[in-house]
Amino acid sequence: MRELRRVVLEQPLPLAAARARSADGPNMLRLIDAALGLFLQAGLPDEAAARTAITMIEFVAGSATIQRSPLGRTARGTAGSEDFDQLLGAWPPDRLPALRTAGAAYLAAAVEDVFTHGVALFLDGVTSQIPRGD
């Protein structure tokens, strides 16, 4: 997943242009085959392996899209977070309680940490779907 993300982020084309290209080119077919193979080898049934591979690819592509956005997350947190206190202060004190509690942590979360956490959650979910022989 990290390698896929690295490759997507290094593409010279804007992501919208890359998406317009055929999804069945040789590189994409190799990626899909590798992902399907890993999930099949892990013991997922065909349909679950297919859905999991699609979800993994979309998670990574979405992460890269957000990171490339001018308002995306950076190595030091969310871009444009300097005005957060002012923006939050414009709301009544009883509104947005979760942001008032954990907003600083939300803003400070670095892009690599968020991606690593997302990968861990994803893989934990995949693991929970593997049929267990009793």
Side-chain angles (χ1 to χ4, degrees), residues 19-73:
R19 278 197 202 119
R21 298 166 74 187
S22 175
D24 59 357
N27 291 333
M28 184 55 91
L29 288 176
R30 283 191 289 273
L31 169 71
I32 294 167
D33 185 70
L36 276 171
L38 287 171
F39 298 127
L40 289 168
Q41 185 178 6
L44 291 177
D46 293 357
E47 287 185 15
R51 289 189 303 267
T52 303
I54 292 165
T55 303
M56 181 201 79
I57 293 165
E58 289 181 356
F59 168 76
V60 173
S63 170
T65 300
I66 292 168
Q67 185 174 345
R68 281 190 169 179
S69 162
L71 298 176
R73 218 156 267 292

mmCIF file of all heavy atoms in Angstrom, residues 19-73:
data_model
loop_
_atom_site.group_PDB
_atom_site.id
_atom_site.type_symbol
_atom_site.label_atom_id
_atom_site.label_comp_id
_atom_site.label_asym_id
_atom_site.label_seq_id
_atom_site.Cartn_x
_atom_site.Cartn_y
_atom_site.Cartn_z
ATOM 1 N N ARG A 19 -6.819 9.411 -13.628
ATOM 2 C CA ARG A 19 -8.037 8.603 -13.506
ATOM 3 C C ARG A 19 -8.742 8.452 -14.835
ATOM 4 O O ARG A 19 -9.434 7.479 -15.064
ATOM 5 C CB ARG A 19 -8.991 9.245 -12.494
ATOM 6 C CG ARG A 19 -8.647 8.910 -11.101
ATOM 7 C CD ARG A 19 -9.844 9.221 -10.217
ATOM 8 N NE ARG A 19 -9.355 9.389 -8.888
ATOM 9 C CZ ARG A 19 -9.463 10.482 -8.168
ATOM 10 N NH1 ARG A 19 -10.097 11.515 -8.638
ATOM 11 N NH2 ARG A 19 -8.975 10.554 -6.962
ATOM 12 N N ALA A 20 -8.596 9.459 -15.707
ATOM 13 C CA ALA A 20 -9.261 9.407 -17.002
ATOM 14 C C ALA A 20 -8.619 8.358 -17.911
ATOM 15 O O ALA A 20 -9.231 7.903 -18.852
ATOM 16 C CB ALA A 20 -9.217 10.776 -17.672
ATOM 17 N N ARG A 21 -7.398 7.975 -17.599
ATOM 18 C CA ARG A 21 -6.722 6.952 -18.385
ATOM 19 C C ARG A 21 -7.344 5.596 -18.095
ATOM 20 O O ARG A 21 -7.981 5.384 -17.074
ATOM 21 C CB ARG A 21 -5.239 6.954 -18.055
ATOM 22 C CG ARG A 21 -4.586 8.287 -18.415
ATOM 23 C CD ARG A 21 -3.243 8.430 -17.803
ATOM 24 N NE ARG A 21 -2.277 7.585 -18.488
ATOM 25 C CZ ARG A 21 -1.050 7.419 -18.064
ATOM 26 N NH1 ARG A 21 -0.642 8.013 -16.974
ATOM 27 N NH2 ARG A 21 -0.217 6.642 -18.723
ATOM 28 N N SER A 22 -7.111 4.677 -18.987
ATOM 29 C CA SER A 22 -7.700 3.350 -18.852
ATOM 30 C C SER A 22 -7.235 2.663 -17.576
ATOM 31 O O SER A 22 -6.058 2.655 -17.249
ATOM 32 C CB SER A 22 -7.320 2.500 -20.054
ATOM 33 O OG SER A 22 -7.785 1.186 -19.882
ATOM 34 N N ALA A 23 -8.178 2.083 -16.866
ATOM 35 C CA ALA A 23 -7.855 1.364 -15.628
ATOM 36 C C ALA A 23 -7.395 -0.055 -15.913
ATOM 37 O O ALA A 23 -7.078 -0.791 -14.997
ATOM 38 C CB ALA A 23 -9.076 1.343 -14.716
ATOM 39 N N ASP A 24 -7.351 -0.436 -17.178
ATOM 40 C CA ASP A 24 -6.938 -1.799 -17.483
ATOM 41 C C ASP A 24 -5.594 -1.849 -18.208
ATOM 42 O O ASP A 24 -5.297 -2.793 -18.907
ATOM 43 C CB ASP A 24 -8.013 -2.529 -18.278
ATOM 44 C CG ASP A 24 -8.339 -1.844 -19.604
ATOM 45 O OD1 ASP A 24 -7.766 -0.781 -19.876
ATOM 46 O OD2 ASP A 24 -9.159 -2.377 -20.342
ATOM 47 N N GLY A 25 -4.771 -0.844 -18.001
ATOM 48 C CA GLY A 25 -3.427 -0.860 -18.568
ATOM 49 C C GLY A 25 -2.586 -1.921 -17.869
ATOM 50 O O GLY A 25 -2.972 -2.470 -16.833
ATOM 51 N N PRO A 26 -1.419 -2.226 -18.414
ATOM 52 C CA PRO A 26 -0.598 -3.309 -17.862
ATOM 53 C C PRO A 26 -0.165 -3.084 -16.413
ATOM 54 O O PRO A 26 -0.153 -4.023 -15.619
ATOM 55 C CB PRO A 26 0.603 -3.381 -18.808
ATOM 56 C CG PRO A 26 0.565 -2.148 -19.627
ATOM 57 C CD PRO A 26 -0.821 -1.619 -19.600
ATOM 58 N N ASN A 27 0.167 -1.855 -16.045
ATOM 59 C CA ASN A 27 0.584 -1.608 -14.664
ATOM 60 C C ASN A 27 -0.571 -1.793 -13.687
ATOM 61 O O ASN A 27 -0.407 -2.377 -12.616
ATOM 62 C CB ASN A 27 1.194 -0.220 -14.516
ATOM 63 C CG ASN A 27 2.526 -0.109 -15.222
ATOM 64 O OD1 ASN A 27 3.231 -1.100 -15.392
ATOM 65 N ND2 ASN A 27 2.863 1.092 -15.657
ATOM 66 N N MET A 28 -1.743 -1.308 -14.071
ATOM 67 C CA MET A 28 -2.904 -1.458 -13.195
ATOM 68 C C MET A 28 -3.308 -2.924 -13.085
ATOM 69 O O MET A 28 -3.659 -3.399 -12.010
ATOM 70 C CB MET A 28 -4.074 -0.607 -13.688
ATOM 71 C CG MET A 28 -5.273 -0.659 -12.751
ATOM 72 S SD MET A 28 -4.883 -0.212 -11.036
ATOM 73 C CE MET A 28 -5.187 1.530 -11.074
ATOM 74 N N LEU A 29 -3.237 -3.648 -14.198
ATOM 75 C CA LEU A 29 -3.574 -5.073 -14.148
ATOM 76 C C LEU A 29 -2.617 -5.828 -13.223
ATOM 77 O O LEU A 29 -3.039 -6.692 -12.456
ATOM 78 C CB LEU A 29 -3.555 -5.682 -15.548
ATOM 79 C CG LEU A 29 -4.705 -5.263 -16.460
ATOM 80 C CD1 LEU A 29 -4.516 -5.860 -17.845
ATOM 81 C CD2 LEU A 29 -6.044 -5.652 -15.871
ATOM 82 N N ARG A 30 -1.326 -5.483 -13.265
ATOM 83 C CA ARG A 30 -0.365 -6.124 -12.362
ATOM 84 C C ARG A 30 -0.677 -5.779 -10.910
ATOM 85 O O ARG A 30 -0.591 -6.637 -10.027
ATOM 86 C CB ARG A 30 1.065 -5.715 -12.718
ATOM 87 C CG ARG A 30 1.602 -6.429 -13.946
ATOM 88 C CD ARG A 30 3.098 -6.218 -14.118
ATOM 89 N NE ARG A 30 3.431 -4.869 -14.529
ATOM 90 C CZ ARG A 30 3.476 -4.446 -15.798
ATOM 91 N NH1 ARG A 30 3.201 -5.286 -16.778
ATOM 92 N NH2 ARG A 30 3.803 -3.209 -16.082
ATOM 93 N N LEU A 31 -1.040 -4.543 -10.649
ATOM 94 C CA LEU A 31 -1.387 -4.119 -9.291
ATOM 95 C C LEU A 31 -2.621 -4.872 -8.791
ATOM 96 O O LEU A 31 -2.628 -5.404 -7.682
ATOM 97 C CB LEU A 31 -1.645 -2.614 -9.254
ATOM 98 C CG LEU A 31 -2.255 -2.104 -7.963
ATOM 99 C CD1 LEU A 31 -1.244 -2.165 -6.841
ATOM 100 C CD2 LEU A 31 -2.795 -0.709 -8.146
ATOM 101 N N ILE A 32 -3.647 -4.917 -9.614
ATOM 102 C CA ILE A 32 -4.873 -5.616 -9.219
ATOM 103 C C ILE A 32 -4.591 -7.095 -8.991
ATOM 104 O O ILE A 32 -5.042 -7.678 -7.995
ATOM 105 C CB ILE A 32 -5.989 -5.414 -10.276
ATOM 106 C CG1 ILE A 32 -6.404 -3.949 -10.327
ATOM 107 C CG2 ILE A 32 -7.189 -6.312 -9.981
ATOM 108 C CD1 ILE A 32 -7.254 -3.590 -11.543
ATOM 109 N N ASP A 33 -3.821 -7.699 -9.881
ATOM 110 C CA ASP A 33 -3.484 -9.108 -9.735
ATOM 111 C C ASP A 33 -2.715 -9.355 -8.436
ATOM 112 O O ASP A 33 -2.998 -10.319 -7.719
ATOM 113 C CB ASP A 33 -2.664 -9.583 -10.936
ATOM 114 C CG ASP A 33 -2.389 -11.073 -10.873
ATOM 115 O OD1 ASP A 33 -3.342 -11.859 -11.041
ATOM 116 O OD2 ASP A 33 -1.222 -11.443 -10.629
ATOM 117 N N ALA A 34 -1.755 -8.500 -8.135
ATOM 118 C CA ALA A 34 -0.973 -8.665 -6.899
ATOM 119 C C ALA A 34 -1.857 -8.525 -5.668
ATOM 120 O O ALA A 34 -1.766 -9.328 -4.728
ATOM 121 C CB ALA A 34 0.167 -7.651 -6.866
ATOM 122 N N ALA A 35 -2.734 -7.521 -5.663
ATOM 123 C CA ALA A 35 -3.623 -7.317 -4.518
ATOM 124 C C ALA A 35 -4.583 -8.498 -4.359
ATOM 125 O O ALA A 35 -4.739 -9.035 -3.262
ATOM 126 C CB ALA A 35 -4.398 -6.009 -4.676
ATOM 127 N N LEU A 36 -5.206 -8.895 -5.462
ATOM 128 C CA LEU A 36 -6.114 -10.054 -5.404
ATOM 129 C C LEU A 36 -5.366 -11.292 -4.907
ATOM 130 O O LEU A 36 -5.879 -12.038 -4.063
ATOM 131 C CB LEU A 36 -6.713 -10.345 -6.780
ATOM 132 C CG LEU A 36 -7.939 -9.551 -7.182
ATOM 133 C CD1 LEU A 36 -8.274 -9.810 -8.646
ATOM 134 C CD2 LEU A 36 -9.110 -9.858 -6.293
ATOM 135 N N GLY A 37 -4.167 -11.502 -5.420
ATOM 136 C CA GLY A 37 -3.379 -12.660 -5.008
ATOM 137 C C GLY A 37 -3.087 -12.668 -3.519
ATOM 138 O O GLY A 37 -3.203 -13.706 -2.857
ATOM 139 N N LEU A 38 -2.734 -11.509 -2.976
ATOM 140 C CA LEU A 38 -2.456 -11.429 -1.531
ATOM 141 C C LEU A 38 -3.696 -11.772 -0.708
ATOM 142 O O LEU A 38 -3.621 -12.523 0.270
ATOM 143 C CB LEU A 38 -1.969 -10.028 -1.162
ATOM 144 C CG LEU A 38 -0.564 -9.676 -1.599
ATOM 145 C CD1 LEU A 38 -0.293 -8.188 -1.354
ATOM 146 C CD2 LEU A 38 0.455 -10.528 -0.860
ATOM 147 N N PHE A 39 -4.833 -11.224 -1.109
ATOM 148 C CA PHE A 39 -6.050 -11.446 -0.332
ATOM 149 C C PHE A 39 -6.587 -12.865 -0.510
ATOM 150 O O PHE A 39 -7.128 -13.445 0.435
ATOM 151 C CB PHE A 39 -7.097 -10.376 -0.651
ATOM 152 C CG PHE A 39 -6.632 -8.992 -0.280
ATOM 153 C CD1 PHE A 39 -6.661 -7.961 -1.187
ATOM 154 C CD2 PHE A 39 -6.135 -8.734 0.993
ATOM 155 C CE1 PHE A 39 -6.214 -6.691 -0.841
ATOM 156 C CE2 PHE A 39 -5.684 -7.465 1.355
ATOM 157 C CZ PHE A 39 -5.722 -6.445 0.436
ATOM 158 N N LEU A 40 -6.418 -13.439 -1.698
ATOM 159 C CA LEU A 40 -6.795 -14.843 -1.895
ATOM 160 C C LEU A 40 -5.877 -15.748 -1.076
ATOM 161 O O LEU A 40 -6.335 -16.688 -0.414
ATOM 162 C CB LEU A 40 -6.727 -15.218 -3.380
ATOM 163 C CG LEU A 40 -7.811 -14.621 -4.273
ATOM 164 C CD1 LEU A 40 -7.454 -14.827 -5.739
ATOM 165 C CD2 LEU A 40 -9.174 -15.203 -3.933
ATOM 166 N N GLN A 41 -4.586 -15.457 -1.104
ATOM 167 C CA GLN A 41 -3.615 -16.253 -0.334
ATOM 168 C C GLN A 41 -3.897 -16.153 1.171
ATOM 169 O O GLN A 41 -3.677 -17.117 1.906
ATOM 170 C CB GLN A 41 -2.199 -15.774 -0.637
ATOM 171 C CG GLN A 41 -1.114 -16.603 0.003
ATOM 172 C CD GLN A 41 0.273 -16.096 -0.382
ATOM 173 O OE1 GLN A 41 0.443 -15.070 -1.031
ATOM 174 N NE2 GLN A 41 1.275 -16.829 0.042
ATOM 175 N N ALA A 42 -4.408 -15.019 1.606
ATOM 176 C CA ALA A 42 -4.738 -14.849 3.025
ATOM 177 C C ALA A 42 -5.959 -15.661 3.426
ATOM 178 O O ALA A 42 -6.232 -15.839 4.603
ATOM 179 C CB ALA A 42 -4.976 -13.374 3.338
ATOM 180 N N GLY A 43 -6.710 -16.154 2.428
ATOM 181 C CA GLY A 43 -7.855 -16.994 2.728
ATOM 182 C C GLY A 43 -9.209 -16.363 2.471
ATOM 183 O O GLY A 43 -10.235 -16.955 2.795
ATOM 184 N N LEU A 44 -9.238 -15.168 1.889
ATOM 185 C CA LEU A 44 -10.528 -14.559 1.588
ATOM 186 C C LEU A 44 -11.161 -15.255 0.387
ATOM 187 O O LEU A 44 -10.464 -15.594 -0.578
ATOM 188 C CB LEU A 44 -10.366 -13.072 1.266
ATOM 189 C CG LEU A 44 -9.962 -12.153 2.414
ATOM 190 C CD1 LEU A 44 -9.767 -10.735 1.905
ATOM 191 C CD2 LEU A 44 -11.016 -12.168 3.514
ATOM 192 N N PRO A 45 -12.469 -15.467 0.411
ATOM 193 C CA PRO A 45 -13.166 -16.002 -0.764
ATOM 194 C C PRO A 45 -13.055 -15.016 -1.933
ATOM 195 O O PRO A 45 -12.768 -13.837 -1.736
ATOM 196 C CB PRO A 45 -14.621 -16.132 -0.294
ATOM 197 C CG PRO A 45 -14.574 -16.059 1.192
ATOM 198 C CD PRO A 45 -13.362 -15.275 1.559
ATOM 199 N N ASP A 46 -13.297 -15.497 -3.146
ATOM 200 C CA ASP A 46 -13.126 -14.686 -4.358
ATOM 201 C C ASP A 46 -13.793 -13.312 -4.260
ATOM 202 O O ASP A 46 -13.168 -12.282 -4.518
ATOM 203 C CB ASP A 46 -13.678 -15.418 -5.586
ATOM 204 C CG ASP A 46 -12.883 -16.659 -5.935
ATOM 205 O OD1 ASP A 46 -11.857 -16.942 -5.273
ATOM 206 O OD2 ASP A 46 -13.296 -17.361 -6.876
ATOM 207 N N GLU A 47 -15.083 -13.273 -3.922
ATOM 208 C CA GLU A 47 -15.807 -11.996 -3.888
ATOM 209 C C GLU A 47 -15.260 -11.069 -2.819
ATOM 210 O O GLU A 47 -15.118 -9.859 -3.045
ATOM 211 C CB GLU A 47 -17.300 -12.242 -3.687
ATOM 212 C CG GLU A 47 -17.967 -12.805 -4.919
ATOM 213 C CD GLU A 47 -19.466 -12.938 -4.760
ATOM 214 O OE1 GLU A 47 -20.042 -12.340 -3.823
ATOM 215 O OE2 GLU A 47 -20.065 -13.643 -5.589
ATOM 216 N N ALA A 48 -14.929 -11.601 -1.656
ATOM 217 C CA ALA A 48 -14.362 -10.771 -0.583
ATOM 218 C C ALA A 48 -12.980 -10.258 -0.982
ATOM 219 O O ALA A 48 -12.640 -9.102 -0.710
ATOM 220 C CB ALA A 48 -14.292 -11.555 0.721
ATOM 221 N N ALA A 49 -12.177 -11.095 -1.628
ATOM 222 C CA ALA A 49 -10.850 -10.670 -2.087
ATOM 223 C C ALA A 49 -10.974 -9.545 -3.110
ATOM 224 O O ALA A 49 -10.214 -8.568 -3.068
ATOM 225 C CB ALA A 49 -10.088 -11.849 -2.673
ATOM 226 N N ALA A 50 -11.939 -9.670 -4.007
ATOM 227 C CA ALA A 50 -12.146 -8.639 -5.025
ATOM 228 C C ALA A 50 -12.561 -7.321 -4.384
ATOM 229 O O ALA A 50 -11.987 -6.261 -4.683
ATOM 230 C CB ALA A 50 -13.200 -9.097 -6.033
ATOM 231 N N ARG A 51 -13.542 -7.351 -3.492
ATOM 232 C CA ARG A 51 -13.993 -6.127 -2.818
ATOM 233 C C ARG A 51 -12.866 -5.513 -1.985
ATOM 234 O O ARG A 51 -12.715 -4.292 -1.921
ATOM 235 C CB ARG A 51 -15.218 -6.408 -1.955
ATOM 236 C CG ARG A 51 -16.475 -6.670 -2.767
ATOM 237 C CD ARG A 51 -17.703 -6.714 -1.874
ATOM 238 N NE ARG A 51 -17.594 -7.714 -0.828
ATOM 239 C CZ ARG A 51 -18.044 -8.964 -0.905
ATOM 240 N NH1 ARG A 51 -18.653 -9.358 -1.998
ATOM 241 N NH2 ARG A 51 -17.902 -9.809 0.101
ATOM 242 N N THR A 52 -12.072 -6.354 -1.349
ATOM 243 C CA THR A 52 -10.971 -5.870 -0.514
ATOM 244 C C THR A 52 -9.897 -5.222 -1.372
ATOM 245 O O THR A 52 -9.364 -4.160 -1.012
ATOM 246 C CB THR A 52 -10.394 -7.028 0.321
ATOM 247 O OG1 THR A 52 -11.454 -7.593 1.107
ATOM 248 C CG2 THR A 52 -9.297 -6.549 1.247
ATOM 249 N N ALA A 53 -9.573 -5.812 -2.503
ATOM 250 C CA ALA A 53 -8.573 -5.216 -3.402
ATOM 251 C C ALA A 53 -9.054 -3.861 -3.915
ATOM 252 O O ALA A 53 -8.289 -2.887 -3.939
ATOM 253 C CB ALA A 53 -8.289 -6.162 -4.564
ATOM 254 N N ILE A 54 -10.315 -3.789 -4.302
ATOM 255 C CA ILE A 54 -10.886 -2.519 -4.773
ATOM 256 C C ILE A 54 -10.823 -1.476 -3.666
ATOM 257 O O ILE A 54 -10.402 -0.331 -3.884
ATOM 258 C CB ILE A 54 -12.335 -2.714 -5.258
ATOM 259 C CG1 ILE A 54 -12.345 -3.567 -6.521
ATOM 260 C CG2 ILE A 54 -13.021 -1.365 -5.497
ATOM 261 C CD1 ILE A 54 -13.724 -4.127 -6.876
ATOM 262 N N THR A 55 -11.226 -1.856 -2.466
ATOM 263 C CA THR A 55 -11.220 -0.924 -1.338
ATOM 264 C C THR A 55 -9.809 -0.443 -1.037
ATOM 265 O O THR A 55 -9.582 0.748 -0.782
ATOM 266 C CB THR A 55 -11.839 -1.584 -0.094
ATOM 267 O OG1 THR A 55 -13.166 -2.010 -0.418
ATOM 268 C CG2 THR A 55 -11.881 -0.628 1.077
ATOM 269 N N MET A 56 -8.829 -1.350 -1.072
ATOM 270 C CA MET A 56 -7.449 -0.977 -0.811
ATOM 271 C C MET A 56 -6.959 0.044 -1.838
ATOM 272 O O MET A 56 -6.389 1.077 -1.486
ATOM 273 C CB MET A 56 -6.539 -2.195 -0.847
ATOM 274 C CG MET A 56 -5.089 -1.848 -0.560
ATOM 275 S SD MET A 56 -3.924 -3.087 -1.159
ATOM 276 C CE MET A 56 -3.863 -2.692 -2.886
ATOM 277 N N ILE A 57 -7.213 -0.226 -3.116
ATOM 278 C CA ILE A 57 -6.764 0.674 -4.169
ATOM 279 C C ILE A 57 -7.439 2.037 -4.029
ATOM 280 O O ILE A 57 -6.799 3.086 -4.150
ATOM 281 C CB ILE A 57 -7.011 0.045 -5.554
ATOM 282 C CG1 ILE A 57 -6.092 -1.181 -5.729
ATOM 283 C CG2 ILE A 57 -6.808 1.055 -6.683
ATOM 284 C CD1 ILE A 57 -6.472 -2.097 -6.873
ATOM 285 N N GLU A 58 -8.739 2.037 -3.720
ATOM 286 C CA GLU A 58 -9.450 3.305 -3.566
ATOM 287 C C GLU A 58 -8.984 4.068 -2.325
ATOM 288 O O GLU A 58 -8.890 5.293 -2.337
ATOM 289 C CB GLU A 58 -10.947 3.072 -3.548
ATOM 290 C CG GLU A 58 -11.464 2.665 -4.920
ATOM 291 C CD GLU A 58 -12.958 2.430 -4.972
ATOM 292 O OE1 GLU A 58 -13.627 2.501 -3.913
ATOM 293 O OE2 GLU A 58 -13.452 2.165 -6.084
ATOM 294 N N PHE A 59 -8.671 3.358 -1.237
ATOM 295 C CA PHE A 59 -8.148 4.002 -0.034
ATOM 296 C C PHE A 59 -6.830 4.704 -0.343
ATOM 297 O O PHE A 59 -6.615 5.861 0.008
ATOM 298 C CB PHE A 59 -7.961 2.975 1.090
ATOM 299 C CG PHE A 59 -7.171 3.500 2.257
ATOM 300 C CD1 PHE A 59 -7.750 4.363 3.174
ATOM 301 C CD2 PHE A 59 -5.841 3.145 2.431
ATOM 302 C CE1 PHE A 59 -7.023 4.862 4.237
ATOM 303 C CE2 PHE A 59 -5.101 3.639 3.493
ATOM 304 C CZ PHE A 59 -5.694 4.497 4.409
ATOM 305 N N VAL A 60 -5.935 3.997 -1.003
ATOM 306 C CA VAL A 60 -4.618 4.563 -1.309
ATOM 307 C C VAL A 60 -4.767 5.746 -2.271
ATOM 308 O O VAL A 60 -4.163 6.799 -2.067
ATOM 309 C CB VAL A 60 -3.672 3.487 -1.866
ATOM 310 C CG1 VAL A 60 -2.365 4.106 -2.338
ATOM 311 C CG2 VAL A 60 -3.396 2.425 -0.805
ATOM 312 N N ALA A 61 -5.567 5.590 -3.314
ATOM 313 C CA ALA A 61 -5.766 6.673 -4.282
ATOM 314 C C ALA A 61 -6.410 7.881 -3.610
ATOM 315 O O ALA A 61 -6.015 9.023 -3.863
ATOM 316 C CB ALA A 61 -6.617 6.188 -5.455
ATOM 317 N N GLY A 62 -7.383 7.640 -2.740
ATOM 318 C CA GLY A 62 -8.019 8.746 -2.009
ATOM 319 C C GLY A 62 -7.041 9.463 -1.107
ATOM 320 O O GLY A 62 -7.029 10.695 -1.023
ATOM 321 N N SER A 63 -6.200 8.710 -0.438
ATOM 322 C CA SER A 63 -5.182 9.300 0.427
ATOM 323 C C SER A 63 -4.245 10.191 -0.378
ATOM 324 O O SER A 63 -3.922 11.304 0.030
ATOM 325 C CB SER A 63 -4.392 8.185 1.120
ATOM 326 O OG SER A 63 -3.267 8.702 1.775
ATOM 327 N N ALA A 64 -3.835 9.714 -1.535
ATOM 328 C CA ALA A 64 -2.938 10.501 -2.379
ATOM 329 C C ALA A 64 -3.639 11.746 -2.911
ATOM 330 O O ALA A 64 -3.041 12.822 -2.984
ATOM 331 C CB ALA A 64 -2.417 9.646 -3.526
ATOM 332 N N THR A 65 -4.907 11.625 -3.267
ATOM 333 C CA THR A 65 -5.667 12.764 -3.773
ATOM 334 C C THR A 65 -5.751 13.848 -2.716
ATOM 335 O O THR A 65 -5.524 15.025 -2.992
ATOM 336 C CB THR A 65 -7.086 12.329 -4.196
ATOM 337 O OG1 THR A 65 -6.974 11.338 -5.214
ATOM 338 C CG2 THR A 65 -7.899 13.499 -4.700
ATOM 339 N N ILE A 66 -6.070 13.463 -1.498
ATOM 340 C CA ILE A 66 -6.173 14.435 -0.411
ATOM 341 C C ILE A 66 -4.815 15.067 -0.131
ATOM 342 O O ILE A 66 -4.705 16.269 0.069
ATOM 343 C CB ILE A 66 -6.755 13.780 0.853
ATOM 344 C CG1 ILE A 66 -8.225 13.420 0.600
ATOM 345 C CG2 ILE A 66 -6.617 14.694 2.064
ATOM 346 C CD1 ILE A 66 -8.834 12.514 1.653
ATOM 347 N N GLN A 67 -3.773 14.255 -0.134
ATOM 348 C CA GLN A 67 -2.436 14.787 0.141
ATOM 349 C C GLN A 67 -2.020 15.800 -0.914
ATOM 350 O O GLN A 67 -1.374 16.794 -0.603
ATOM 351 C CB GLN A 67 -1.410 13.667 0.204
ATOM 352 C CG GLN A 67 -0.027 14.166 0.604
ATOM 353 C CD GLN A 67 0.963 13.052 0.799
ATOM 354 O OE1 GLN A 67 0.590 11.894 0.918
ATOM 355 N NE2 GLN A 67 2.217 13.387 0.833
ATOM 356 N N ARG A 68 -2.410 15.583 -2.164
ATOM 357 C CA ARG A 68 -2.056 16.522 -3.240
ATOM 358 C C ARG A 68 -2.906 17.782 -3.219
ATOM 359 O O ARG A 68 -2.555 18.772 -3.831
ATOM 360 C CB ARG A 68 -2.226 15.851 -4.593
ATOM 361 C CG ARG A 68 -1.084 14.953 -4.944
ATOM 362 C CD ARG A 68 -1.222 14.533 -6.373
ATOM 363 N NE ARG A 68 -0.013 13.888 -6.817
ATOM 364 C CZ ARG A 68 0.142 13.406 -8.020
ATOM 365 N NH1 ARG A 68 -0.829 13.499 -8.905
ATOM 366 N NH2 ARG A 68 1.254 12.823 -8.360
ATOM 367 N N SER A 69 -4.015 17.749 -2.523
ATOM 368 C CA SER A 69 -4.899 18.904 -2.470
ATOM 369 C C SER A 69 -4.207 20.060 -1.745
ATOM 370 O O SER A 69 -3.485 19.854 -0.780
ATOM 371 C CB SER A 69 -6.181 18.524 -1.718
ATOM 372 O OG SER A 69 -6.874 19.673 -1.297
ATOM 373 N N PRO A 70 -4.448 21.292 -2.177
ATOM 374 C CA PRO A 70 -3.837 22.425 -1.482
ATOM 375 C C PRO A 70 -4.297 22.536 -0.026
ATOM 376 O O PRO A 70 -3.628 23.153 0.783
ATOM 377 C CB PRO A 70 -4.289 23.647 -2.285
ATOM 378 C CG PRO A 70 -5.176 23.167 -3.359
ATOM 379 C CD PRO A 70 -5.232 21.674 -3.333
ATOM 380 N N LEU A 71 -5.426 21.940 0.290
ATOM 381 C CA LEU A 71 -5.925 21.969 1.664
ATOM 382 C C LEU A 71 -5.666 20.657 2.381
ATOM 383 O O LEU A 71 -6.165 20.442 3.488
ATOM 384 C CB LEU A 71 -7.430 22.277 1.669
ATOM 385 C CG LEU A 71 -7.802 23.635 1.096
ATOM 386 C CD1 LEU A 71 -9.311 23.803 1.051
ATOM 387 C CD2 LEU A 71 -7.153 24.759 1.861
ATOM 388 N N GLY A 72 -4.893 19.787 1.780
ATOM 389 C CA GLY A 72 -4.626 18.480 2.367
ATOM 390 C C GLY A 72 -3.667 18.534 3.536
ATOM 391 O O GLY A 72 -3.138 19.564 3.908
ATOM 392 N N ARG A 73 -3.450 17.366 4.088
ATOM 393 C CA ARG A 73 -2.575 17.195 5.224
ATOM 394 C C ARG A 73 -1.122 17.287 4.785
ATOM 395 O O ARG A 73 -0.781 16.912 3.677
ATOM 396 C CB ARG A 73 -2.856 15.807 5.831
ATOM 397 C CG ARG A 73 -2.803 15.806 7.313
ATOM 398 C CD ARG A 73 -3.614 14.660 7.875
ATOM 399 N NE ARG A 73 -4.970 15.034 8.192
ATOM 400 C CZ ARG A 73 -5.300 15.860 9.163
ATOM 401 N NH1 ARG A 73 -4.419 16.390 9.919
ATOM 402 N NH2 ARG A 73 -6.556 16.136 9.391
#
